[in-house]
Amino acid sequence: MRFQLLGPLSIAEGHDVVVLKPSKPSSLLAALLIHPGSVVSTGYLLRALWDEDQPATARAALQSCVLRLRRIFAKYGVTRNVIEAVPGGYRMNADADTLDLVRFRALVRAADDAGDAEGELYRLKEALTLWQGPLLANVPSPMLHRDEVPGLTEERLRTLERACDIELALGRCRQVLVDLWEAARRHPGRERFSEQLIEALYRTGRQSEALSEYRSVKGRLKEELGVDPGPSLQRLELSILRGDDLGPPALDPGLDRTAPLPGGRGAVALAPRTEPLAIAAPAPAPAPVAPVPAVPLAPVVRPVPPVPSFTGRTTERAAITARLTAGSPDTTVVVLSGAPGIGKTALAQQAAHDTQDSFPGGVFILAMTRDDGSSVTPAEALAHLPPPGTADGATLLVLDDVTSPDQVRPLLPVMAGGAAIVTSRRGLAGLMATHGGSVHRLSTLEPAESQRLLAAALGAERVGAEPAAAAELARICGHFPLSLRIAAARLLTRPGLRIEDCVAWLAEDLPARLSLADDPRLSVPQVFGGALSRLEPRWREAFHRLGDHEGLLLSSHALGNSPEAEETLERLADAGLLEEGPPGPYRIHRLLKIYARQQAREKHNSQAATARH
């Protein structure tokens, strides 16, 4: 007996499937199965059944729904899965044999460990076959459809994108066309499917159709949203117009599969390391103004270069250096947290450069999040670290863009006697509770520090010629290091452009113009959007609403004075999108507030355009 959640909610035994009728018990069952094995709070279940229109007898009615659901289980012979009443709510256990959602996720994880493209693709396709039509079509819960279905759908679409990436990398362009035609038409807002389709058409000799599809996508984006296709699609169009050879590439068994696949496609699962680490040659220093890129998921061994034009953070650098070089016999942990674009990665790399002589066993820098936003597992990270006891002395581990304490804990025993610098948008309080350490919550640069960064990047003479304009540039960039570096890079590539004119141009459309066309990762909207994409839809929606709140200080009244409002603000603060918090007020950075307001308006305009059509 098994439950099927990835489609109409149903109970199956062999080939016999019973689709449940729309009812309160169906909504209750779906709410429990979406969180298998977890305690689902009473408040969450009440919202799943009645949304915000809860009757006075809602808690008693919830208990009645639980009894009705247990009778349904008895009717269909369900004995392995029982609903447990636990403090604070209810729990329902399920495994890969009894719930398709658990099996889907297990197959996706198994694809990560496949070790070869064919095995990975086989497991991804098997996972996709578990989806059986419109998600929860027979579940009458507005809350679940609003808050949970988008996240589940995103899991499927990411898996489909990944499978299509592998098919293209294997040169199976004709075979994957059917899937891509359907995906691009069903999900026109996901440019990745359109990009894959255009590439498949071009590589099967259908250049005119590929260009026609590109122009169709471009026209739709311009008409509905008033924007151009993303940089990746634009580069693909240029390659087609030039007649470039895009493939077919072959997947190298030893390929670092967190890097883009040949032909410019996105990331797939990491291949395990099979050979010992080699001492890397010194990395060449980047150009003086290049924004600091995300580090790759591959170890970087000493010497670690300094961060170009690094300024500020004097207090934090001194504290980090003192802690890392104190010579503790246990693992020393330093966490750098804060808003997206605030400079956590740059400070971590600079701290590694400052202290590398204290770590004769080497410095290892690992990105813990892939370009598509998915998290690297601890097992994948361990494959790139030396076995315990084999390093020649203490080692320093830099874990960049960590998403949870569970990503870090399994790696720390490997570093016994060494040290770890962890960057995360979250505070990682759970890691501090179990392992101790220090946390540095980074804020924006001071105005003088912003000025020094611009002077280091642009040259003191250019900044000195327009001091007021440089100060205004720092202000509209929100004193975010990422924003300042992007603006400086734009000015350096236009030596005749006055800082004053650049300020006026940027101010017309903040933060959208704080991006570089030749590298989509160096974009403030992209970085902010990536942080938001990790949140549940209801938290994203709440963040957008904060854009219209008056002022930068926020209390729980900003979202309605209720326990849920307080929880929402705390979630946004933990994600690095707000600062401070109880017992004082929360605070939103000005640049993030502008972004929130723009996103809310874009969503409204998109919905209005859809309604008109």
Side-chain angles (χ1 to χ4, degrees):
M1 193 70 67
R2 65 186 186 279
F3 295 98
Q4 295 181 171
L5 188 68
L6 304 180
L9 182 63
S10 55
I11 301 175
E13 174 68 30
H15 296 292
D16 298 326
V17 178
V18 177
V19 178
L20 300 181
K21 295 179 180 179
S23 62
K24 295 294 186 190
S26 296
S27 295
L28 174 62
L29 176 58
L32 291 169
L33 290 176
I34 286 171
H35 306 281
S38 300
V39 176
V40 184
S41 71
T42 300
Y44 177 91
L45 294 175
L46 293 175
R47 292 196 302 274
L49 295 179
W50 290 282
D51 207 4
E52 302 303 326
D53 188 22
Q54 299 174 15
T57 58
R59 291 182 178 271
L62 172 61
Q63 294 175 358
S64 297
C65 279
V66 172
L67 292 175
R68 290 170 60 190
L69 192 53
R70 286 171 174 161
R71 293 192 194 106
I72 293 174
F73 286 2
K75 176 181 177 182
Y76 292 111
V78 177
T79 57
R80 289 185 58 189
N81 303 78
V82 295
I83 303 174
E84 301 177 73
V86 296
Y90 293 86
R91 176 173 57 210
M92 187 170 171
N93 292 315
D95 56 27
D97 293 328
T98 57
L99 179 61
D100 56 359
L101 177 61
V102 176
R103 178 162 176 75
F104 170 80
R105 289 170 174 166
L107 285 167
V108 172
R109 286 195 299 272
D112 291 344
D113 302 327
D116 66 281
E118 292 287 1
E120 182 178 1
L121 182 60
Y122 177 83
R123 288 166 177 80
L124 293 177
K125 286 193 170 183
E126 185 179 357
L128 290 168
T129 62
L130 296 173
W131 293 75
Q132 301 292 325
L135 200 60
L136 304 184
N138 56 333
V139 174
S141 170
M143 187 275 270
L144 293 181
H145 284 276
R146 181 184 67 242
D147 295 348
E148 300 291 357
V149 167
L152 293 172
T153 302
E154 176 67 19
E155 288 188 58
R156 174 185 175 270
L157 295 180
R158 282 188 178 181
T159 303
L160 180 57
E161 284 181 358
R162 183 172 160 190
C164 292
D165 273 333
I166 298 173
E167 296 253 47
L168 289 171
L170 292 171
R172 298 172 185 168
C173 300
R174 296 185 189 278
Q175 295 92 319
V176 79
L177 269 174
V178 173
D179 289 337
L180 288 174
W181 276 117
E182 180 183 11
R185 296 300 180 263
R186 283 180 175 269
H187 307 283
R190 293 182 79 94
E191 286 188 36
R192 182 69 191 132
F193 285 134
S194 296
E195 182 182 352
Q196 289 172 321
L197 173 59
I198 292 166
E199 181 181 340
L201 287 169
Y202 176 65
R203 285 172 53 189
T204 51
R206 298 157 69 173
Q207 181 180 21
S208 60
E209 289 180 70
L211 289 172
S212 176
E213 183 67 19
Y214 174 83
R215 287 164 188 146
S216 174
V217 172
K218 182 177 181 179
R220 186 185 71 248
L221 290 172
K222 182 65 73 175
E223 178 182 352
E224 295 180 3
L225 302 176
V227 299
D228 291 322
S232 185
L233 258 177
Q234 292 184 36
R235 287 195 295 268
L236 178 59
E237 182 211 21
L238 183 60
S239 295
I240 294 173
L241 291 171
R242 289 193 307 233
D244 293 346
D245 181 12
L246 300 183
L251 279 175
D252 181 352
L255 181 69
D256 175 4
R257 291 153 67 208
T258 57
L261 289 167
R265 285 165 295 286
V268 291
L270 176 73
R273 177 175 55 85
T274 57
E275 296 182 2
L277 294 172
I279 300 296
V289 296
V292 179
V295 293
L297 180 60
V300 177
V301 186
R302 290 191 299 116
V304 179
V307 175
S309 309
F310 189 91
T311 57
R313 311 293 190 204
T314 305
T315 303
E316 290 91 343
R317 282 178 69 181
I320 294 168
T321 297
R323 189 167 189 89
L324 293 179
T325 58
S328 170
D330 300 318
T331 303
T332 300
V333 181
V334 175
V335 173
L336 308 181
S337 67
I342 207 71
K344 302 180 292 295
T345 300
L347 178 57
Q349 183 176 329
Q350 186 63 40
H353 168 76
D354 293 342
T355 60
Q356 58 186 320
D357 290 342
S358 298
F359 299 98
V363 178
F364 301 86
I365 302 180
L366 301 167
M368 300 303 288
T369 303
R370 299 184 181 87
D371 286 343
D372 65 359
S374 61
S375 298
V376 171
T377 67
E380 292 170 333
L382 282 169
H384 287 269
L385 296 176
T390 61
D392 186 18
T395 56
L396 174 62
L397 176 60
V398 180
L399 301 174
D400 190 49
D401 202 9
V402 166
T403 58
S404 73
D406 288 338
Q407 267 191 309
V408 180
R409 292 189 183 109
L411 307 181
L412 295 183
V414 179
M415 311 307 295
I421 304 175
V422 179
T423 78
S424 178
R425 292 163 189 164
R426 303 179 60 185
L428 302 183
L431 180 64
M432 292 296 99
T434 57
H435 286 74
S438 63
V439 179
H440 298 270
R441 182 85 177 187
L442 303 188
S443 186
T444 53
L445 296 176
E446 294 294 328
E449 293 175 330
S450 297
Q451 288 281 82
R452 286 198 296 271
L453 191 154
L454 289 173
L458 294 173
E461 183 178 345
R462 190 170 182 183
V463 171
E466 297 181 80
E472 180 63 12
L473 177 61
R475 188 192 71 81
I476 69 168
C477 286
H479 300 288
F480 275 68
L482 175 66
S483 306
L484 290 164
R485 288 178 178 275
I486 289 172
R490 180 175 292 279
L491 280 164
L492 267 191
T493 58
R494 296 164 174 81
L497 180 66
R498 295 193 308 161
I499 297 177
E500 181 182 4
D501 294 333
C502 180
V503 169
W505 180 79
L506 289 173
E508 289 176 0
D509 191 9
L510 282 172
R513 288 182 174 175
L514 284 169
S515 60
L516 300 179
D518 59 352
D519 192 336
R521 295 172 303 173
L522 300 176
S523 161
V524 170
Q526 182 95 352
V527 171
F528 287 176
L532 272 178
S533 68
R534 299 182 188 177
L535 300 179
E536 295 180 23
R538 54 178 167 160
W539 311 130
R540 294 200 294 268
E541 180 66 29
F543 175 76
H544 293 157
R545 297 207 306 272
L546 293 178
D548 291 324
H549 180 79
E550 187 173 345
L552 300 179
L553 296 180
L554 309 167
S555 67
S556 58
H557 295 283
L559 295 172
N561 193 15
S562 68
E564 281 119 6
E566 186 70 44
E567 180 189 6
T568 298
L569 292 173
E570 189 60 25
R571 294 270 186 165
L572 294 175
D574 188 54
L577 299 169
L578 299 179
E579 294 296 324
E580 303 304 331
Y586 293 90
R587 181 180 182 279
I588 184 171
H589 290 297
R590 175 176 166 274
L591 207 57
L592 279 163
K593 183 177 180 180
I594 295 172
Y595 177 76
R597 186 185 306 130
Q598 284 185 346
Q599 289 296 295
R601 290 176 180 171
E602 285 180 12
K603 182 178 180 181
H604 174 76
N605 293 339
S606 177
Q607 291 173 340
T610 302
R612 288 196 300 270
H613 290 82

